[in-house]
């Protein structure tokens, strides 16, 4: 995504045209997933445990390790 912010994508999710709204939601989901991955990697590089990351994300340690542990 070039120069498109999460705010702009979120605004597009409320578009009156349902197809444009769905496209914005799909783009928003991809961008949030990318941001989450970056934040997890930065947390691990800073020494955060899987447990602490899992708590921040509101999931189990096993879930977060399964999703991000092999990257």
């Amino acid at each position: 995504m070039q120069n498109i912010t999460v705010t702009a994508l979120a605004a597009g999710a409320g578009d009156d045209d349902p197809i444009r709204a769905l496209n914005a939601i799909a783009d928003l989901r991809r961008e949030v997933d990318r941001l989450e991955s970056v934040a997890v990697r930065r947390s691990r590089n800073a020494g955060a445990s899987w447990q602490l990351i899992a708590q921040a994300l509101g999931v189990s340690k096993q879930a977060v390790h399964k999703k991000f542990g092999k990257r």
Side-chain angles (χ1 to χ4, degrees), residues 29-43 53-54 56-59 64 67-68 71:
R29 184 176 295 120
R30 282 188 290 274
E31 182 63 7
V32 169
D33 286 346
R34 186 191 70 77
L35 291 169
E36 180 183 61
S37 182
V38 168
V40 168
R41 185 175 62 248
R42 289 180 63 215
S43 296
I53 295 167
L57 293 175
V59 299
V64 78
K67 185 173 181 180
F68 299 104
R71 294 181 179 186

Side-chain angles (χ1 to χ4, degrees), residues 2 4 8 10 13 19 29 40 43 53 55-56 60 63:
Q2 295 177 343
I4 299 177
I19 297 302
R29 184 176 295 120
V40 168
S43 296
I53 295 167
Q55 287 174 342
S60 71

Side-chain angles (χ1 to χ4, degrees), residues 1 9-10 12-15 17-31:
M1 306 242 127
L9 290 171
D15 196 295
D17 180 314
I19 297 302
R20 283 197 303 254
L22 288 170
N23 284 325
I25 290 166
D27 290 342
L28 181 58
R29 184 176 295 120
R30 282 188 290 274
E31 182 63 7

